[in-house]
Amino acid sequence: MLTTKMLGNKLELTIPFAWQGITVQQIFREKWKTSKKQAHLFRMEGRVTFKGEKIGWDKPLDAGSKLLMDLFDTQPTEVEPFYLDLAILYEDEHVLVVNKPAFLNTHPNTPGETETLLNAVSFHLQSEGKGASVQQTHRLDRDTTGAILFAKHPLAGAILDGMLEKRLIKRTYIAAVCGTGLKKKDTINLPIGRDRHHSVRRRVSPSGQAAITHYKVLKTEPYNKLTFVACRLDTGRTHQIRVHFSHIGYPLAGDELYGGRPLFTRQALHAAKLEFTHPITLERLAVRAPFMDSPPIFKDIDLEKI
């Protein structure tokens, strides 16, 4: 874990002893694994300084050296702020994890749409006088609840995008599916594509994109004919969990689009845990999202054991 602190809108980074002799170039490309585009931008704009001067990116640095980095955009935000009382699960100067409620879009899908989680996060940051270059790293369906990860500045966003692409951000979901005959533990490896007969729905298709869902049974409710499962995704296809379980004959409860019984007002799906390496400090984080439904959908499930 790196030692950092914020000085206004600038990040002070202290070179640890384990990094003796490292260069700025290596920090960006090897430690943070950011994109070439982001590294080039910081280099060309002179946004990394040492003792008040621009630093050569190939200059070896001594342990204890303090770099100053200008992380935040000064451009005005293009995301219109919208007030919402956010359920914040984790926050520091670089990232934010929010517990998304049901019936709220992650981001605008149509011109002029402003009542979304992204707009609410923009309001939160602007109200604190912070930079407004917020971006979500991934998304959840409108009716799905749970943890969503946001980056507060472009460098963190670029690093997290790369981590997501390399499947280094682990997401665990809890779902209630109709039926009680599932194996205790299994993997669903079936490609998913668009349903040409329905503009919104997806389906398992040989010509679709690879999609892998691992699951384990947490408990069953025979009287409701429900099974509660924890799911981990290797891929992030649209409606992946919903499509996979519907295809094998166990649609999510409340998910009428995919054949689930209307036991709840929404599909019974919750993003329960996010595990990732912090994009800047390199600390390993695990963030759990409490259930939000009233009346509850997921009863007697201990998130600490997920």
Side-chain angles (χ1 to χ4, degrees):
M1 178 176 173
L2 296 180
T3 299
T4 66
K5 68 178 180 180
M6 296 303 297
L7 301 176
N9 274 348
K10 297 183 184 295
L11 173 76
E12 183 186 79
L13 185 154
T14 302
I15 302 300
F17 287 104
W19 287 10
Q20 171 69 31
I22 200 170
T23 66
V24 176
Q25 177 78 9
Q26 288 175 307
I27 294 173
F28 274 75
R29 299 296 297 135
E30 297 176 17
K31 301 300 183 180
W32 286 341
K33 295 181 173 60
T34 189
S35 65
K36 290 182 180 179
K37 180 180 178 180
Q38 272 292 334
H40 180 74
L41 179 69
F42 271 73
R43 186 172 190 170
M44 291 299 101
E45 294 185 355
R47 293 169 68 177
V48 182
T49 57
F50 177 61
K51 295 183 178 180
E53 301 290 336
K54 294 181 183 180
I55 187 172
W57 275 47
D58 296 321
K59 174 183 171 60
L61 297 167
D62 291 327
S65 298
K66 298 182 185 298
L67 300 179
L68 207 58
M69 301 186 179
D70 188 0
L71 297 181
F72 293 90
D73 270 348
T74 57
Q75 300 298 320
T77 179
E78 296 181 0
V79 181
E80 184 172 335
F82 159 66
Y83 175 74
L84 181 70
D85 188 12
L86 295 174
I88 295 173
L89 303 173
Y90 177 88
E91 183 175 18
D92 62 17
E93 295 89 349
H94 313 286
V95 298
L96 174 71
V97 183
V98 177
N99 200 357
K100 175 190 164 305
F103 316 118
L104 181 72
N105 285 333
T106 300
H107 54 74
N109 293 313
T110 58
E113 184 180 3
T114 60
E115 296 185 6
T116 77
L117 189 62
L118 180 63
N119 296 87
V121 169
S122 180
F123 181 97
H124 169 72
L125 296 184
Q126 290 185 58
S127 69
E128 294 186 343
K130 301 289 179 63
S133 299
V134 61
Q135 69 179 72
Q136 84 275 354
T137 300
H138 56 105
R139 63 180 294 277
L140 295 176
D141 292 339
R142 175 180 174 82
D143 294 350
T144 299
T145 56
I148 297 187
L149 175 60
F150 292 86
K152 286 187 172 183
H153 54 76
L155 178 61
I159 296 170
L160 289 172
D161 283 347
M163 291 167 58
L164 188 69
E165 184 177 345
K166 296 172 185 173
R167 303 177 185 176
L168 298 177
I169 298 176
K170 182 178 176 182
R171 293 167 287 166
T172 303
Y173 295 77
I174 306 297
V177 304
C178 299
T180 58
L182 279 172
K183 295 179 182 179
K184 290 184 179 180
K185 189 177 182 180
D186 205 358
T187 294
I188 306 171
N189 186 350
L190 296 168
I192 292 175
R194 290 184 176 275
D195 186 335
R196 64 179 182 273
H197 302 297
H198 196 290
S199 61
V200 174
R201 210 161 67 172
R202 301 295 192 272
R203 65 184 182 91
V204 167
S205 169
S207 61
Q209 294 177 298
I212 302 173
T213 303
H214 308 281
Y215 78 83
K216 66 176 180 180
V217 172
L218 300 176
K219 70 168 189 171
T220 59
E221 290 185 354
Y223 58 92
N224 280 334
K225 296 182 179 178
L226 291 178
T227 300
F228 291 80
V229 295
C231 305
R232 181 172 57 82
L233 306 183
D234 280 356
T235 51
R237 308 305 175 202
T238 300
H239 298 178
Q240 179 171 321
I241 293 173
R242 300 165 66 187
V243 172
H244 271 170
F245 279 96
S246 176
H247 183 81
I248 65 172
Y250 293 85
L252 271 60
D255 191 2
E256 295 184 72
L257 180 63
Y258 290 103
R261 288 183 287 135
L263 300 178
F264 310 111
T265 58
R266 68 178 187 90
Q267 70 258 11
L269 185 61
H270 178 73
K273 185 170 71 169
L274 274 175
E275 297 170 88
F276 62 100
T277 298
H278 192 286
I280 303 300
T281 68
L282 306 180
E283 177 186 6
R284 188 66 184 170
L285 298 172
V287 182
R288 291 173 173 83
F291 301 119
M292 309 181 74
D293 301 283
S294 181
I297 293 175
F298 305 98
K299 302 175 184 177
D300 302 320
I301 293 177
D302 186 355
L303 290 177
E304 293 301 318
K305 295 180 179 179
I306 301 300

